[in-house]
Amino acid sequence: MQTINDTTSQYRHDVLVQMTHDEEARQDFVRCFKLYLAQNVSPGNKKVFEDKVEPQLKASGKAQSLVEIDRLMKKQEYYQFWSSLQRCSQEMMWNSVQIPVQRQLPKLVEKASAAQAKPKLGSLKLNPDLKTPDYHTAIDIHCMPGGYHSEFCQDDVAAGAVYDRAVYVYAMGRMGPLNDDIGASTAKWLKENYPDFQPKRILDLGCTVGHSTLAWAEFYPEAEIYAIDVGAPVLRYAHARAESLGVKVHFIQMNAEFLDFPDDHFDVVNGSILIHETSKKAARNIFKECHRVLREGGVMLHGETPPYKDLPPYDAFMLDWDTRNNNEPFWRGSHLIDPFSDCVEAGFSKDKVFEILAPSAFEAKLSQRYTHVFQGGDFGGGGQWYVYGAWK
């Protein structure tokens, strides 16, 4: 049984950055720091809310809205203290991973370039003329230096290498040794609930380094797997990673708002934690494109964290921390999406739209001591994933 007591259990592959003893120790400190904040510091915010903020809301007669809770909690010194430490833990995490990646970057580029030059299984198609959307270039999404798209050398893979390792540290191992729990949980739910559904072509949107993509290949090994992203550095890394792990995937640099695929082409179109990094306008475009490229009888799926409508106001406020403090400007909007109205607008029938909670494919294997660890706007640890979508 895997635990999350260390940072050494991430599955090794050819382009995973290798740490020295001191680099590993630094990352483990960040993991322990995050765990301490989540288990020992963050709960104090609830007491501050109940003792100081909730009485003010009741006295004023105002509803416990996210905006009102935010306005009052931001004045509380304890919340300021926790929030500052939480932001520091994010910056420490990125720094702890950047250093070993920078040290090994020439070697990582060499390995990825070799995989691209002589692919054994899948393929990689880049588009140097593709414009990265403004909603990615305006800020460093979730404080990741340079985001997914920035390149600092020829054939750069740094963004992919940093992301792959940092996700494992951030999630404290709760996404599994391959960081694939969102995709694996969604694919597992689909296979178990629709055993007769046998997709021939699957498209993974906003694949980054292919964490969720490879999970789909595991559950549907006979299907052709395609994966797209706007960032060339993450795609180069994703391709090399998939080749190293022996999984056939066709990676293409493409904007999910404008898919370069024919109508009725895919049986499944999936997005894992994609929508919260796109604008409202972009999300609507993506839903329409999903409908267009799906065949009749195909399904669109988007895995995210729970919508605010299903949470108590205080919990929604805490989950919304990323919107205010972690360079996630679209986080709140994505949690306020009404899948039924947005999917119908995209062309799906209302009676074919659904929302489900997919049980975590990995977390049940962990020690019960660690399930339900919550850190601000985190995306792991609840034992299930919120998935919405529609059948065409």
Side-chain angles (χ1 to χ4, degrees):
M1 177 179 291
Q2 178 174 340
T3 68
I4 56 173
N5 287 321
D6 59 69
T7 56
T8 62
S9 299
Q10 184 173 4
Y11 193 92
R12 302 289 170 175
H13 53 78
D14 286 350
V15 285
L16 183 67
V17 64
Q18 302 296 306
M19 273 70 63
T20 65
H21 172 274
D22 288 356
E23 289 165 346
E24 188 85 57
R26 184 180 183 187
Q27 292 173 10
D28 202 46
F29 171 81
V30 173
R31 181 198 61 80
C32 291
F33 183 39
K34 281 184 166 292
L35 188 62
Y36 182 83
L37 290 178
Q39 292 185 327
N40 298 87
V41 183
S42 182
N45 287 309
K46 184 68 176 291
K47 179 171 175 56
V48 170
F49 170 75
E50 293 174 342
D51 292 349
K52 298 182 178 181
V53 171
E54 198 168 30
Q56 293 183 56
L57 290 171
K58 291 179 179 179
S60 67
K62 294 182 178 180
Q64 288 192 16
S65 69
L66 187 152
V67 174
E68 277 300 306
I69 295 174
D70 179 31
R71 183 179 68 83
L72 295 174
M73 283 293 289
K74 284 193 299 188
K75 299 177 181 179
Q76 303 300 319
E77 291 184 354
Y78 188 93
Y79 174 76
Q80 295 170 8
F81 165 72
W82 167 81
S83 185
S84 177
L85 292 178
Q86 184 71 4
R87 172 64 182 244
C88 284
S89 77
Q90 282 293 94
E91 296 177 358
M92 290 166 61
M93 176 191 73
W94 293 119
N95 289 339
S96 72
V97 176
Q98 275 185 295
I99 292 172
V101 168
Q102 184 177 20
R103 177 172 55 80
Q104 298 168 65
L105 186 56
K107 190 66 175 179
L108 295 175
V109 168
E110 180 183 335
K111 289 180 178 180
S113 297
Q116 183 177 352
K118 294 183 179 180
K120 298 178 181 179
L121 297 166
S123 62
L124 172 64
K125 183 180 180 180
L126 301 179
N127 179 6
D129 297 323
L130 181 69
K131 182 184 183 299
T132 304
D134 293 340
Y135 49 80
H136 274 298
T137 59
I139 60 173
D140 289 346
I141 295 290
H142 49 60
C143 296
M144 176 177 165
Y148 303 114
H149 62 282
S150 296
E151 300 190 53
F152 304 99
C153 66
Q154 186 174 352
D155 300 326
D156 196 5
V157 295
V162 169
Y163 183 82
D164 190 13
R165 181 58 180 169
V167 166
Y168 191 82
V169 176
Y170 173 78
M172 296 179 274
R174 293 166 299 145
M175 299 279 283
L178 288 169
N179 287 326
D180 63 353
D181 192 47
I182 307 176
S185 301
T186 306
K188 183 173 183 286
W189 173 86
L190 183 65
K191 193 171 185 69
E192 290 179 348
N193 287 273
Y194 297 90
D196 296 330
F197 181 64
Q198 296 296 325
K200 296 180 179 179
R201 290 194 195 97
I202 297 173
L203 175 62
D204 193 32
L205 306 175
C207 66
T208 324
V209 298
H211 289 153
S212 291
T213 313
L214 270 57
W216 283 95
E218 177 186 351
F219 283 90
Y220 295 100
E222 301 302 316
E224 293 180 23
I225 309 292
Y226 293 81
I228 69 164
D229 202 283
V230 296
V234 294
L235 287 173
R236 292 189 190 102
Y237 183 92
H239 172 65
R241 177 178 180 270
E243 292 286 298
S244 172
L245 293 171
V247 183
K248 183 178 181 179
V249 178
H250 301 293
F251 292 97
I252 307 173
Q253 189 177 9
M254 191 183 299
N255 187 336
E257 294 184 70
F258 312 103
L259 296 175
D260 189 18
F261 294 110
D263 297 352
D264 310 316
H265 194 62
F266 291 99
D267 302 283
V268 175
V269 179
N270 175 72
S272 297
I273 55 171
L274 163 71
I275 299 302
H276 79 257
E277 294 184 1
T278 58
S279 67
K280 178 68 172 177
K281 179 181 178 181
R284 287 172 172 167
N285 289 338
I286 290 170
F287 294 152
K288 290 177 182 177
E289 282 292 87
C290 289
H291 182 270
R292 180 183 68 79
V293 302
L294 274 175
R295 69 161 176 84
E296 196 72 22
V299 63
M300 174 184 74
L301 298 154
H302 290 284
E304 292 281 349
T305 50
Y308 293 162
K309 65 182 175 63
D310 294 339
L311 298 175
Y314 171 79
D315 289 345
F317 159 75
M318 289 297 288
L319 187 60
D320 196 59
W321 181 86
D322 278 26
T323 303
R324 305 181 301 274
N325 302 287
N326 197 33
N327 282 11
E328 291 278 18
F330 308 116
W331 181 266
R332 180 179 297 179
S334 72
H335 287 78
L336 297 175
I337 281 179
D338 178 0
F340 290 89
S341 63
D342 283 10
C343 288
V344 168
E345 181 183 332
F348 294 96
S349 299
K350 188 174 183 179
D351 61 344
K352 297 292 184 69
V353 182
F354 59 85
E355 299 174 284
I356 59 102
L357 291 175
S360 168
F362 173 73
E363 195 160 301
K365 302 175 184 177
L366 294 175
S367 165
Q368 290 301 308
R369 176 183 173 190
Y370 295 107
T371 35
H372 307 299
V373 175
F374 184 81
Q375 51 160 335
D378 83 344
F379 55 79
Q384 56 194 4
W385 293 98
Y386 170 66
V387 180
Y388 62 86
W391 294 89
K392 183 175 178 180

